[in-house]
Amino acid sequence: MPLCFFPKLTQRASIWSICARQMNCRTGGLQRQSSIIFTCSSPVSHAANRKILPDCHLRHPPLHSVVQRMCGPSYTHGDVVELLKTGVSDTQPARLGSTSGMSGAKTPSLGDAFSVENKERVMSSLSSKLRTLRRFYTKDVKQRGAVVVPLCSVNGEPCILFTLRTRTLKDHSGEVSFPGGKMDPTDGDVCYTALRELQEELGINPETVEVWGNLAPVGRERITVVPIIGHLGEIDIQSLKYNPDEVASVFVMTLSHLCRPACQAYTVFEPHQYSGQPMAALPVFLGGEHRVWGLTAYILDLALQAIVPDHYRSLLSQVKKEQAASS
Amino acid sequence: MASRVSRRIAQKFTKYQHSCSFWNRPRKSSLLCQRQYCSAGSASPVEGVPLTQPLPGIPQPIYAAVSHDVVHTDITTLDNGLRVASMNKFGQFCTVGVLVNSGSRHEIGYPKGIAHFMEKTAFGETEKFESRDEILQSLEEHGGICDCQASRDTLVYGVSANRGGLEDVIHLLSEVVFKPKLSDTEIEDSRQAILFELEALDMAPDPEIMMTELIHAAAYKNNTLGLPRVCPTENIPLIGRPTLLQYMNNYLVPERMVLAGVGMDHEALVDLAKRYFVNTKPTWSTPEIQEMGGRVDKSISQYFGGLQKINKDMSNIAPGTPIPELAHVILALESCGHQDSDFISFAVLNMLMGGGGSFSAGGPGKGMYTRLYLNVLNRYHWMYSAAAVHYSYEDSGIFCIQASCHPSMVRELLEVIVREFVYMAGTVEEVELSRAKRQLQSMLMMNLESRPVVFEDIGRQVLATGNRKHPREYVELIEKVTAADIKRVARRMLQSQPSVAALGDLTKLPDYADIQAGLLHKEGRLPRKYAFFRR
């Protein structure tokens, strides 16, 4: 018997589809450091150019023309897909934090995530990642980028800050991202790049930023990005003087919200040619002012694993396990 | 459907009247030919029964009763997780079916096209029924018909039949859903059917299905909703019994299903569901299939935006018909899912944009005063069609304007559509807004008069939210939409990257970057390209 016995069925006949159809019936407590710690032992700075280190955080970043600033981290969806295919470039996205050979210090409660103890725990755990940057520096300078994962507290509540890129930018316009951008040949190290971009985009003085360390570089081929974990202290979103050419808006998501399983989701991408193997999943964080997805969500996932390993359960690793079990 | 049956009977009868000359024949005066019009005289049991009494041996008639809540939907969740939802509706027929939360968006990790195969193999050979014919014959006893449709997010098995046949129908549904044989011949037949369908799609003058595929692929790239619903040719040989059964094992589970019905007593339906949908051993309960494993994908859709185009010579697509050579374009932006608070506003915006074909006869209620008619189709003679469509799913949606024109005018066409998109965030006149609202309300209510529509509505709502909203709520929500809401949702939509799907001779298609720039321009202008000295 031929199809379409329910003429209405073919029109997807629910209220939603009726509504959606066209009319012609076709169918806590942050402990702010009193003195800003900029030590040369900052794990990031250890990386390659030891000589530039001492002044890396102190030097005021040069002003760049708007044109130069326009190009943010230019990883593309292609890179994201590439990332998915191969996993993280230089290192395994190993779980950081308490499990990775730490002195056994437990993470404090979420409200104290930015306390001195946790900071030291995170810093020493991240310093074990140092070697990973060596390969990063072998790449062409044009292919190097850095972002800051800006930890901050708003009204005493630990948060992570995000920017929404303006619609007029060439790459990734209108998308949620961390402040950051491409490395300039004159930049001393990635940390310098990240803090320079942070100042350019959000007007935050690099001297007020505590750098906790860096995560393993992410991305591949076109650009590799090093996420730098930086603590901005207590901030007031309204008084931030961000650069309207690059940043359309700034918003924060609290750590307690980000650690809630209900706000986490994932998207599995599929290679265009069926190979029997689905690609890895990318995390998505919902419930904020804007959806956090793509490379930013991937970095956020890594950062949360490093900062609050006892409170954050990465949905991504669960999905990976599922995928491994099913294949 | 009832009306369709009666129409068919009426047609047959007229034919009969004409072919048989009995009525036309001049009456012979012979007594033999005289027809008795009255049973009087023969010994009938009816004889002597006064008119004030019902005739003996005739079933009690069921009368329609006045009820103030004609849309009450009962929902029961069985122990195995199956949700049974039904609404009683006056009438001789009932519609009942199974809706499964399974569609092409769930095909991650499988060869794409499973949904298409599921649609084609449905209502085939099962444990009890030896062939499709047997199924149809058993349905015929109850004047029933069946159909299966797979969309991006839902698989619907539906049956309409006489109320009396409810038990047989439920049994049939259980067989069809859980116990398909999927024999080699059936799979081979389905492959052929799909191959033919793909060929037909390629040759169809109205490429709506292909365009829908393209715009979803452009909007969602290689995740969830962007996966093809129509089986790609290269996947036809890849999909077979093991793949289908593996997929069914993961997705055709009672927790992901709703048994929805219209036109029966809820208790009766629940009893039948308990009998036929609990403790049934599905075809895929064999150890081999269980070993194949697989996982249930819970990805949420991620909108990207982008361009998908197919260059195709369509100059001779429909010889002998007045259909001219056309280039088809859809421009879409991300809207929202049907659970979003802005959904109703988007629906009103969709009505407000309206549109249709240039050569549509029009008429009251067709939206001849919608924006796409007034600002587009009535103004540009070269425009063949322009219509607003809103596709919405559980977690995302796209708002599209689909249009077609001669290939030489594609750039102008996109300029016009881009401008209409930009103007959506501009002033909304009170008249057009209230007209759109009224139209949406009436369309909603009129559609809900039809039993199959109510069936699908119950099924989809219960599948997505676990209960059914009263249509009155929707009418009230529509009433509340203001011009400010329309502006807000239009602005929200304009924040997203455009998705473009194009098919035909696309030499004049503007660059994707130009469309992006056009949508950012406050007048919706595409960047001008001076071509004085270029060819």
Side-chain angles (χ1 to χ4, degrees):
Chain A
M1 205 181 267
L3 287 171
C4 302
F5 274 112
F6 303 112
K8 297 292 181 190
L9 268 186
T10 56
Q11 297 167 14
R12 306 208 38 227
S14 66
I15 285 198
W16 302 325
S17 48
I18 293 162
C19 287
R21 208 189 308 140
Q22 72 200 87
M23 47 203 350
N24 55 356
C25 275
R26 224 178 304 173
T27 47
L30 157 85
Q31 300 185 1
R32 177 91 174 89
Q33 307 302 304
S34 52
S35 62
I36 294 140
I37 303 171
F38 285 132
T39 54
C40 298
S41 64
S42 160
V44 173
S45 330
H46 186 279
N49 302 346
R50 211 166 254 281
K51 273 175 257 145
I52 308 168
L53 280 178
D55 52 322
C56 134
H57 307 295
L58 307 170
R59 202 172 51 191
H60 213 72
L63 279 167
H64 291 268
S65 71
V66 176
V67 183
Q68 266 174 295
R69 288 194 218 149
M70 293 285 274
C71 28
S74 59
Y75 43 84
T76 62
H77 296 306
D79 296 329
V80 175
V81 168
E82 198 64 39
L83 172 84
L84 284 163
K85 271 186 199 157
T86 50
V88 186
S89 60
D90 287 318
T91 49
Q92 291 299 312
R95 267 189 81 100
L96 309 162
S98 54
T99 49
S100 60
M102 251 316 294
S103 51
K106 288 284 281 180
T107 7
S109 74
L110 267 178
D112 296 330
F114 299 161
S115 63
V116 190
E117 298 83 56
N118 196 38
K119 182 185 84 181
E120 280 164 0
R121 191 196 57 79
V122 173
M123 284 174 78
S124 62
S125 104
L126 290 180
S127 59
S128 63
K129 299 251 125 206
L130 276 180
R131 56 187 171 78
T132 63
L133 284 188
R134 256 177 227 138
R135 262 174 72 186
F136 172 75
Y137 281 110
T138 60
K139 287 182 194 295
D140 183 38
V141 72
K142 281 179 192 154
Q143 294 180 345
R144 295 184 223 154
V147 294
V148 186
V149 180
L151 313 179
C152 61
S153 33
V154 174
N155 301 325
E157 175 98 17
C159 298
I160 292 184
L161 182 143
F162 302 90
T163 63
L164 184 73
R165 296 166 63 81
T166 50
R167 295 275 288 120
T168 46
L169 285 173
K170 225 172 88 199
D171 298 305
H172 303 275
S173 59
E175 287 175 18
V176 170
S177 77
F178 287 126
K182 271 190 198 161
M183 211 165 165
D184 277 350
T186 53
D187 288 350
D189 62 2
V190 272
C191 181
Y192 180 83
T193 309
L195 294 177
R196 175 178 56 78
E197 289 283 348
L198 182 69
Q199 183 172 37
E200 283 172 12
E201 289 181 19
L202 299 178
I204 291 170
N205 187 349
E207 289 181 23
T208 63
V209 181
E210 263 177 42
V211 173
W212 283 19
N214 73 288
L215 299 169
V218 294
R220 207 172 171 81
E221 284 181 7
R222 256 184 265 177
I223 196 160
T224 306
V225 177
V226 178
I228 308 279
I229 295 179
H231 184 210
L232 313 185
E234 177 83 29
I235 59 160
D236 176 23
I237 300 285
Q238 262 65 44
S239 65
L240 268 183
K241 296 209 167 39
Y242 56 80
N243 178 356
D245 291 335
E246 283 185 70
V247 179
S249 76
V250 177
F251 66 98
V252 293
M253 280 169 92
T254 61
L255 278 187
S256 58
H257 179 83
L258 290 169
C259 292
R260 215 174 285 153
C263 98
Q264 297 175 43
Y266 64 88
T267 309
V268 182
F269 293 80
E270 190 73 21
H272 285 292
Q273 284 293 314
Y274 172 69
S275 58
Q277 281 295 316
M279 286 178 166
L282 263 196
V284 180
F285 294 87
L286 305 165
E289 221 167 280
H290 301 276
R291 174 191 277 201
V292 181
W293 62 282
L295 204 56
T296 306
Y298 189 81
I299 294 171
L300 179 62
D301 177 68
L302 293 178
L304 287 170
Q305 288 183 44
I307 300 163
V308 279
D310 295 346
H311 301 278
Y312 176 72
R313 253 183 100 220
S314 175
L315 188 63
L316 206 59
S317 42
Q318 281 170 263
V319 175
K320 272 186 192 146
K321 264 183 224 153
E322 266 177 43
Q323 283 179 331
S326 71
S327 60
Chain B
M1 191 197 63
S3 65
R4 201 181 276 213
V5 170
S6 60
R7 208 184 309 135
R8 211 185 292 157
I9 292 170
Q11 275 169 0
K12 259 190 185 163
F13 192 65
T14 10
K15 229 179 3 193
Y16 183 73
Q17 266 190 325
H18 287 294
S19 60
C20 175
S21 53
F22 179 85
W23 305 97
N24 306 333
R25 220 181 328 178
R27 295 275 155 83
K28 284 183 191 163
S29 52
S30 155
L31 269 172
L32 277 171
C33 283
Q34 261 180 9
R35 196 177 160 218
Q36 284 192 324
Y37 290 100
C38 180
S39 56
S42 63
S44 152
V46 184
E47 201 183 343
V49 180
L51 288 173
T52 49
Q53 281 173 21
L55 289 173
I58 285 176
Q60 283 292 310
I62 306 160
Y63 298 103
V66 178
S67 162
H68 292 288
D69 191 12
V70 288
V71 288
H72 180 74
T73 311
D74 292 294
I75 300 159
T76 308
T77 307
L78 301 188
D79 297 338
N80 64 351
L82 177 84
R83 285 160 289 181
V84 182
S86 76
M87 183 186 113
N88 211 340
K89 193 179 197 300
F90 178 75
Q92 196 190 347
F93 277 77
C94 64
T95 298
V96 61
V98 177
L99 289 93
V100 195
N101 186 6
S102 148
S104 57
R105 71 169 291 170
H106 299 107
E107 288 171 18
I108 294 273
Y110 293 92
K112 309 294 153 292
I114 290 187
H116 206 162
F117 267 86
M118 301 266 278
E119 194 181 278
K120 286 282 170 290
T121 53
F123 292 101
E125 197 178 332
T126 72
E127 219 171 85
K128 188 183 160 219
F129 299 96
E130 267 170 29
S131 66
R132 189 178 300 259
D133 279 346
E134 222 180 289
I135 289 180
L136 297 179
Q137 268 168 13
S138 75
L139 272 175
E140 237 167 57
E141 280 174 34
H142 307 291
I145 48 166
C146 61
D147 190 17
C148 173
Q149 284 189 1
S151 60
R152 272 167 215 285
D153 56 354
T154 325
L155 181 67
V156 184
Y157 296 91
V159 178
S160 277
N162 204 317
R163 275 173 173 245
L166 187 63
E167 173 156 9
D168 288 355
V169 166
I170 302 290
H171 188 180
L172 169 77
L173 275 171
S174 147
E175 283 278 320
V176 165
V177 174
F178 290 116
K179 296 177 178 176
K181 275 255 173 82
L182 299 173
S183 64
D184 292 348
T185 32
E186 261 188 333
I187 299 279
E188 207 42 61
D189 285 354
S190 306
R191 286 190 181 137
Q192 277 302 331
I194 290 173
L195 207 60
F196 284 147
E197 206 177 302
L198 295 182
E199 271 173 37
L201 278 179
D202 194 45
M203 292 191 296
D206 179 12
E208 203 189 323
I209 295 175
M210 283 330 285
M211 288 301 285
T212 312
E213 291 282 296
L214 278 182
I215 196 66
H216 280 87
Y220 297 97
K221 290 238 162 85
N222 48 352
N223 73 83
T224 59
L225 297 166
L227 302 177
R229 194 203 71 82
V230 175
C231 184
T233 321
E234 66 272 16
N235 284 359
I236 294 177
L238 286 179
I239 300 173
R241 187 182 144 94
T243 326
L244 285 172
L245 286 178
Q246 186 195 3
Y247 180 88
M248 287 172 168
N249 181 32
N250 284 303
Y251 287 97
L252 263 65
V253 290
E255 298 85 38
R256 298 177 74 94
M257 287 180 190
V258 171
L259 176 68
V262 182
M264 72 280 296
D265 181 44
H266 185 69
E267 294 309 316
L269 186 65
V270 171
D271 285 346
L272 288 170
K274 279 181 186 156
R275 200 173 321 153
Y276 294 108
F277 278 83
V278 181
N279 297 328
T280 45
K281 210 167 151 234
T283 314
W284 47 87
S285 57
T286 57
E288 306 91 76
I289 304 298
Q290 296 294 320
E291 260 171 39
M292 287 172 88
R295 58 181 282 276
V296 173
D297 184 60
K298 293 191 179 112
S299 290
I300 62 164
S301 56
Q302 180 59 56
Y303 180 89
F304 279 84
L307 172 68
Q308 286 279 331
K309 57 178 180 179
I310 297 178
N311 267 298
K312 186 178 164 191
D313 178 22
M314 294 179 80
S315 54
N316 208 12
I317 194 87
T321 67
I323 299 172
E325 182 187 0
L326 292 172
H328 302 264
V329 177
I330 299 185
L331 178 60
L333 292 172
E334 188 185 20
S335 58
C336 67
H338 48 57
Q339 302 306 314
D340 196 291
S341 55
D342 282 340
F343 173 66
I344 298 290
S345 306
F346 271 115
V348 174
L349 179 63
N350 185 18
M351 276 319 233
L352 192 129
M353 297 310 293
S358 233
F359 297 96
S360 157
K366 276 210 75 182
M368 300 306 285
Y369 292 95
T370 55
R371 282 201 189 171
L372 289 179
Y373 267 105
L374 294 179
N375 300 352
V376 178
L377 291 164
N378 296 353
R379 276 194 203 180
Y380 304 101
H381 67 89
W382 43 266
M383 202 78 144
Y384 187 78
S385 72
V389 192
H390 184 203
Y391 295 101
S392 58
Y393 303 92
E394 199 181 339
D395 47 6
S396 183
I398 45 175
F399 190 95
C400 316
I401 293 183
Q402 49 184 48
S404 55
C405 69
H406 190 266
S408 61
M409 300 303 280
V410 171
R411 190 178 171 89
E412 287 78 1
L413 175 115
L414 269 158
E415 274 182 338
V416 171
I417 306 179
V418 164
R419 205 180 55 214
E420 282 308 315
F421 262 109
V422 172
Y423 284 179
M424 283 183 211
T427 324
V428 180
E429 303 244 350
E430 203 40 57
V431 182
E432 57 176 354
L433 178 65
S434 56
R435 185 186 291 126
K437 278 156 60 174
R438 204 66 69 238
Q439 250 180 319
L440 184 61
Q441 286 167 335
S442 65
M443 190 191 206
L444 186 73
M445 300 319 283
M446 278 194 289
N447 274 286
L448 288 174
E449 305 238 315
S450 151
R451 190 174 9 87
V453 175
V454 178
F455 156 72
E456 208 184 325
D457 181 47
I458 293 174
R460 282 184 188 274
Q461 288 206 46
V462 174
L463 197 60
T465 64
N467 55 51
R468 183 180 182 223
K469 257 193 189 174
H470 197 290
R472 196 189 297 129
E473 281 180 59
Y474 282 101
V475 170
E476 282 161 9
L477 285 171
I478 295 167
E479 196 55 53
K480 279 187 200 142
V481 174
T482 62
D485 289 330
I486 298 292
K487 265 190 185 177
R488 191 193 66 241
V489 298
R491 278 209 198 100
R492 166 183 170 172
M493 179 165 80
L494 286 163
Q495 292 301 311
S496 66
Q497 296 287 357
S499 306
V500 185
L503 175 74
D505 174 3
L506 303 174
T507 40
K508 300 277 177 168
L509 185 76
D511 291 343
Y512 179 71
D514 285 1
I515 297 168
Q516 278 178 310
L519 286 164
L520 287 173
H521 191 280
K522 63 177 194 294
E523 297 279 319
R525 275 195 212 123
L526 299 195
R528 287 269 159 239
K529 285 210 172 121
Y530 295 101
F532 289 121
F533 306 107
R534 271 189 284 147
R535 271 153 56 87

mmCIF file of all heavy atoms in Angstrom, chain B residues 404-423:
data_model
loop_
_atom_site.group_PDB
_atom_site.id
_atom_site.type_symbol
_atom_site.label_atom_id
_atom_site.label_comp_id
_atom_site.label_asym_id
_atom_site.label_seq_id
_atom_site.Cartn_x
_atom_site.Cartn_y
_atom_site.Cartn_z
ATOM 1 N N SER B 404 12.621 30.900 -4.951
ATOM 2 C CA SER B 404 13.148 30.440 -6.226
ATOM 3 C C SER B 404 12.900 31.491 -7.296
ATOM 4 O O SER B 404 11.943 32.264 -7.227
ATOM 5 C CB SER B 404 12.515 29.106 -6.623
ATOM 6 O OG SER B 404 11.110 29.221 -6.624
ATOM 7 N N CYS B 405 13.782 31.522 -8.277
ATOM 8 C CA CYS B 405 13.644 32.454 -9.384
ATOM 9 C C CYS B 405 14.524 31.948 -10.526
ATOM 10 O O CYS B 405 15.199 30.936 -10.388
ATOM 11 C CB CYS B 405 14.096 33.845 -8.962
ATOM 12 S SG CYS B 405 15.860 33.939 -8.676
ATOM 13 N N HIS B 406 14.512 32.652 -11.634
ATOM 14 C CA HIS B 406 15.382 32.278 -12.738
ATOM 15 C C HIS B 406 16.843 32.437 -12.314
ATOM 16 O O HIS B 406 17.165 33.368 -11.576
ATOM 17 C CB HIS B 406 15.089 33.160 -13.967
ATOM 18 C CG HIS B 406 15.779 32.665 -15.190
ATOM 19 N ND1 HIS B 406 17.007 33.139 -15.575
ATOM 20 C CD2 HIS B 406 15.427 31.715 -16.084
ATOM 21 C CE1 HIS B 406 17.396 32.484 -16.670
ATOM 22 N NE2 HIS B 406 16.441 31.632 -16.995
ATOM 23 N N PRO B 407 17.742 31.533 -12.750
ATOM 24 C CA PRO B 407 19.132 31.595 -12.298
ATOM 25 C C PRO B 407 19.803 32.957 -12.484
ATOM 26 O O PRO B 407 20.729 33.300 -11.735
ATOM 27 C CB PRO B 407 19.826 30.535 -13.154
ATOM 28 C CG PRO B 407 18.760 29.577 -13.519
ATOM 29 C CD PRO B 407 17.479 30.332 -13.570
ATOM 30 N N SER B 408 19.348 33.738 -13.443
ATOM 31 C CA SER B 408 20.007 35.022 -13.685
ATOM 32 C C SER B 408 19.721 36.026 -12.577
ATOM 33 O O SER B 408 20.392 37.053 -12.480
ATOM 34 C CB SER B 408 19.538 35.580 -15.033
ATOM 35 O OG SER B 408 18.143 35.772 -14.997
ATOM 36 N N MET B 409 18.707 35.763 -11.750
ATOM 37 C CA MET B 409 18.307 36.748 -10.749
ATOM 38 C C MET B 409 18.682 36.336 -9.329
ATOM 39 O O MET B 409 18.203 36.925 -8.362
ATOM 40 C CB MET B 409 16.791 36.973 -10.816
ATOM 41 C CG MET B 409 16.286 37.468 -12.149
ATOM 42 S SD MET B 409 17.066 38.994 -12.662
ATOM 43 C CE MET B 409 16.134 40.175 -11.707
ATOM 44 N N VAL B 410 19.556 35.321 -9.190
ATOM 45 C CA VAL B 410 19.828 34.790 -7.856
ATOM 46 C C VAL B 410 20.406 35.834 -6.899
ATOM 47 O O VAL B 410 20.038 35.904 -5.734
ATOM 48 C CB VAL B 410 20.735 33.542 -7.935
ATOM 49 C CG1 VAL B 410 21.201 33.099 -6.572
ATOM 50 C CG2 VAL B 410 19.982 32.410 -8.591
ATOM 51 N N ARG B 411 21.283 36.696 -7.425
ATOM 52 C CA ARG B 411 21.864 37.708 -6.546
ATOM 53 C C ARG B 411 20.779 38.659 -6.025
ATOM 54 O O ARG B 411 20.705 38.951 -4.828
ATOM 55 C CB ARG B 411 22.957 38.496 -7.270
ATOM 56 C CG ARG B 411 23.727 39.373 -6.302
ATOM 57 C CD ARG B 411 24.858 40.147 -6.920
ATOM 58 N NE ARG B 411 25.333 41.090 -5.919
ATOM 59 C CZ ARG B 411 26.271 40.808 -5.038
ATOM 60 N NH1 ARG B 411 26.852 39.641 -5.034
ATOM 61 N NH2 ARG B 411 26.622 41.713 -4.141
ATOM 62 N N GLU B 412 19.920 39.103 -6.926
ATOM 63 C CA GLU B 412 18.830 40.000 -6.542
ATOM 64 C C GLU B 412 17.911 39.310 -5.542
ATOM 65 O O GLU B 412 17.456 39.918 -4.579
ATOM 66 C CB GLU B 412 18.019 40.428 -7.772
ATOM 67 C CG GLU B 412 18.703 41.429 -8.681
ATOM 68 C CD GLU B 412 19.759 40.817 -9.595
ATOM 69 O OE1 GLU B 412 19.964 39.587 -9.548
ATOM 70 O OE2 GLU B 412 20.389 41.573 -10.358
ATOM 71 N N LEU B 413 17.672 38.038 -5.796
ATOM 72 C CA LEU B 413 16.808 37.263 -4.905
ATOM 73 C C LEU B 413 17.365 37.261 -3.492
ATOM 74 O O LEU B 413 16.657 37.532 -2.521
ATOM 75 C CB LEU B 413 16.697 35.826 -5.422
ATOM 76 C CG LEU B 413 15.920 34.858 -4.524
ATOM 77 C CD1 LEU B 413 14.677 34.395 -5.227
ATOM 78 C CD2 LEU B 413 16.742 33.656 -4.155
ATOM 79 N N LEU B 414 18.680 37.014 -3.378
ATOM 80 C CA LEU B 414 19.268 36.984 -2.043
ATOM 81 C C LEU B 414 19.245 38.365 -1.408
ATOM 82 O O LEU B 414 19.055 38.492 -0.205
ATOM 83 C CB LEU B 414 20.683 36.420 -2.085
ATOM 84 C CG LEU B 414 20.657 34.902 -1.864
ATOM 85 C CD1 LEU B 414 21.880 34.242 -2.398
ATOM 86 C CD2 LEU B 414 20.475 34.570 -0.390
ATOM 87 N N GLU B 415 19.414 39.394 -2.226
ATOM 88 C CA GLU B 415 19.339 40.758 -1.683
ATOM 89 C C GLU B 415 17.965 41.004 -1.061
ATOM 90 O O GLU B 415 17.847 41.544 0.035
ATOM 91 C CB GLU B 415 19.584 41.790 -2.786
ATOM 92 C CG GLU B 415 21.047 42.060 -2.982
ATOM 93 C CD GLU B 415 21.332 43.118 -4.027
ATOM 94 O OE1 GLU B 415 20.460 43.357 -4.888
ATOM 95 O OE2 GLU B 415 22.422 43.684 -3.965
ATOM 96 N N VAL B 416 16.939 40.566 -1.785
ATOM 97 C CA VAL B 416 15.581 40.766 -1.297
ATOM 98 C C VAL B 416 15.342 39.988 -0.001
ATOM 99 O O VAL B 416 14.808 40.509 0.977
ATOM 100 C CB VAL B 416 14.563 40.353 -2.390
ATOM 101 C CG1 VAL B 416 13.156 40.337 -1.834
ATOM 102 C CG2 VAL B 416 14.658 41.294 -3.578
ATOM 103 N N ILE B 417 15.773 38.731 0.030
ATOM 104 C CA ILE B 417 15.536 37.915 1.225
ATOM 105 C C ILE B 417 16.325 38.456 2.413
ATOM 106 O O ILE B 417 15.807 38.550 3.527
ATOM 107 C CB ILE B 417 15.935 36.444 1.009
ATOM 108 C CG1 ILE B 417 15.241 35.879 -0.213
ATOM 109 C CG2 ILE B 417 15.552 35.609 2.204
ATOM 110 C CD1 ILE B 417 15.633 34.454 -0.463
ATOM 111 N N VAL B 418 17.584 38.823 2.167
ATOM 112 C CA VAL B 418 18.409 39.356 3.253
ATOM 113 C C VAL B 418 17.733 40.593 3.838
ATOM 114 O O VAL B 418 17.646 40.770 5.041
ATOM 115 C CB VAL B 418 19.841 39.667 2.747
ATOM 116 C CG1 VAL B 418 20.589 40.558 3.721
ATOM 117 C CG2 VAL B 418 20.611 38.379 2.521
ATOM 118 N N ARG B 419 17.219 41.441 2.951
ATOM 119 C CA ARG B 419 16.559 42.652 3.426
ATOM 120 C C ARG B 419 15.329 42.308 4.270
ATOM 121 O O ARG B 419 15.107 42.892 5.319
ATOM 122 C CB ARG B 419 16.141 43.496 2.217
ATOM 123 C CG ARG B 419 16.008 44.965 2.543
ATOM 124 C CD ARG B 419 15.600 45.741 1.330
ATOM 125 N NE ARG B 419 14.373 45.180 0.766
ATOM 126 C CZ ARG B 419 14.106 45.155 -0.539
ATOM 127 N NH1 ARG B 419 14.962 45.653 -1.397
ATOM 128 N NH2 ARG B 419 12.974 44.652 -0.967
ATOM 129 N N GLU B 420 14.568 41.321 3.832
ATOM 130 C CA GLU B 420 13.394 40.931 4.604
ATOM 131 C C GLU B 420 13.792 40.432 5.991
ATOM 132 O O GLU B 420 13.131 40.708 6.973
ATOM 133 C CB GLU B 420 12.586 39.859 3.869
ATOM 134 C CG GLU B 420 11.732 40.409 2.741
ATOM 135 C CD GLU B 420 10.835 41.565 3.172
ATOM 136 O OE1 GLU B 420 10.194 41.473 4.230
ATOM 137 O OE2 GLU B 420 10.807 42.578 2.446
ATOM 138 N N PHE B 421 14.910 39.690 6.048
ATOM 139 C CA PHE B 421 15.393 39.215 7.344
ATOM 140 C C PHE B 421 15.755 40.385 8.242
ATOM 141 O O PHE B 421 15.410 40.411 9.422
ATOM 142 C CB PHE B 421 16.610 38.292 7.168
ATOM 143 C CG PHE B 421 16.273 36.830 7.199
ATOM 144 C CD1 PHE B 421 16.327 36.054 6.055
ATOM 145 C CD2 PHE B 421 15.888 36.215 8.386
ATOM 146 C CE1 PHE B 421 16.014 34.703 6.084
ATOM 147 C CE2 PHE B 421 15.572 34.871 8.421
ATOM 148 C CZ PHE B 421 15.627 34.112 7.271
ATOM 149 N N VAL B 422 16.460 41.370 7.675
ATOM 150 C CA VAL B 422 16.888 42.519 8.472
ATOM 151 C C VAL B 422 15.668 43.330 8.928
ATOM 152 O O VAL B 422 15.594 43.763 10.078
ATOM 153 C CB VAL B 422 17.886 43.381 7.679
ATOM 154 C CG1 VAL B 422 18.196 44.675 8.407
ATOM 155 C CG2 VAL B 422 19.167 42.599 7.432
ATOM 156 N N TYR B 423 14.687 43.458 8.034
ATOM 157 C CA TYR B 423 13.491 44.238 8.385
ATOM 158 C C TYR B 423 12.622 43.570 9.448
ATOM 159 O O TYR B 423 11.784 44.223 10.053
ATOM 160 C CB TYR B 423 12.653 44.514 7.123
ATOM 161 C CG TYR B 423 13.226 45.602 6.236
ATOM 162 C CD1 TYR B 423 12.606 45.965 5.053
ATOM 163 C CD2 TYR B 423 14.393 46.274 6.596
ATOM 164 C CE1 TYR B 423 13.130 46.954 4.228
ATOM 165 C CE2 TYR B 423 14.933 47.256 5.786
ATOM 166 C CZ TYR B 423 14.302 47.596 4.602
ATOM 167 O OH TYR B 423 14.835 48.572 3.804
#
